[in-house]
Amino acid sequence: GENVEQHPSTLSVQEGDSAVIKCTYSDSASNYFPWYKQELGKRPQLIIDIRSNVGEKKDQRIAVTLNKTAKHFSLHITETQPEDSAVYFCAASKSFGNEKLTFGTGTRLTIIP
Amino acid sequence: EAQVTQNPRYLITVTGKKLTVTCSQNMNHEYMSWYRQDPGLGLRQIYYSMNVEVTDKGDVPEGYKVSRKEKRNFPLILESPSPNQTSLYFCASSFGWRTPYFGPGTRLTVT
């Protein structure tokens, strides 16, 4: 089955700096890659996603890049703010739906004021 | 208001005592699934359902059962809970290709 590896497991950055979280996947048939943010004590919430026919997608301070050849994708957060502190999960799926969504192990991001 | 609800939100039980965690969504979503979240392991899919009476195993189905008799409900059943099933459980639903929307979570402790 699919295996998703996520690095780093913890990340601390100064407020205003950029943060990058990287994920690799094993199944070349995977074609959908969402990113979730989970604040302490709350449910995971989708922040951005990308499909395999797109190499990059941006939404304000957040961007995701995908390298299908290398089977890795990354989350980039620019101009980080204290409210960006959370656990971030990447995931991969062979479909655009919910049948088999495999998650990474998460990255705890801490923004230092 | 569109939502996924889970009950109970917190549960402490003893080994071997059958329990059910309910999940309900009011968005008419076709897809529903259950995940467990453990420190250092992320979110792992237990079971999923693509429609009424259609369910399939996820990555960690052992010790769990599900049923989908109605489109809105997807209960998770632990017939004989064990301490290694102590975890945070999330139900999720989605419509077609869209990304799952998670419920608020159920924290289960099995002693």
Side-chain angles (χ1 to χ4, degrees):
Chain A
E2 174 67 279
N3 182 49
V4 177
E5 294 189 357
Q6 183 172 347
H7 299 281
S9 57
T10 60
L11 179 61
S12 295
V13 301
Q14 290 291 139
E15 182 178 353
D17 288 350
S18 296
V20 180
I21 302 170
K22 299 180 179 181
C23 290
T24 60
Y25 60 98
S26 60
D27 192 336
S28 56
S30 289
N31 56 17
Y32 177 64
F33 309 93
W35 285 88
Y36 283 83
K37 175 183 180 182
Q38 186 179 29
E39 297 176 351
L40 189 63
K42 297 194 175 178
R43 73 192 78 192
Q45 292 191 300
L46 175 72
I47 55 172
I48 195 168
D49 57 14
I50 192 168
R51 293 170 177 77
S52 59
N53 58 346
V54 175
E56 183 176 4
K57 184 177 179 180
K58 289 183 180 179
D59 183 3
Q60 299 182 338
R61 296 186 297 108
I62 293 173
V64 58
T65 58
L66 171 65
N67 184 326
K68 287 171 55 181
T69 303
K71 290 190 285 188
H72 68 71
F73 56 112
S74 300
L75 178 71
H76 305 254
I77 306 174
T78 59
E79 302 173 6
T80 53
Q81 301 168 3
E83 53 264 36
D84 294 330
S85 293
V87 177
Y88 292 81
F89 292 98
C90 62
S93 172
K94 290 183 185 180
S95 70
F96 296 156
N98 190 33
E99 293 96 321
K100 292 284 272 186
L101 197 61
T102 301
F103 282 84
T105 50
T107 296
R108 182 173 299 280
L109 174 64
T110 302
I111 307 302
I112 305 167
Chain B
E1 179 189 353
Q3 58 182 351
V4 177
T5 58
Q6 294 179 227
N7 283 291
R9 295 289 313 282
Y10 303 91
L11 179 60
I12 300 174
T13 189
V14 296
T15 300
K17 185 177 181 182
K18 181 179 178 180
L19 66 92
T20 299
V21 183
T22 64
C23 174
S24 183
Q25 50 95 3
N26 63 0
M27 295 169 278
N28 201 34
H29 283 170
E30 297 166 343
Y31 297 103
M32 298 186 74
S33 56
W34 277 101
Y35 295 85
R36 61 177 289 174
Q37 183 176 14
D38 303 290
L41 297 177
L43 289 152
R44 294 179 292 168
Q45 193 177 57
I46 302 170
Y47 269 95
Y48 62 93
S49 169
M50 289 182 280
N51 215 323
V52 175
E53 303 291 1
V54 181
T55 63
D56 205 351
K57 298 177 180 178
D59 297 316
V60 288
E62 295 77 20
Y64 304 94
K65 287 176 58 178
V66 293
S67 68
R68 187 92 180 273
K69 293 184 171 59
E70 302 168 284
K71 196 171 186 178
R72 63 182 291 123
N73 297 324
F74 190 45
L76 179 69
I77 303 158
L78 285 73
E79 294 270 5
S80 182
S82 62
N84 63 13
Q85 292 179 299
T86 292
S87 187
L88 177 60
Y89 292 86
F90 287 100
C91 178
S93 73
S94 64
F95 178 71
W97 55 266
R98 294 181 184 173
T99 309
Y101 177 82
F102 286 88
T106 295
R107 187 166 294 280
L108 172 66
T109 302
V110 183
T111 61

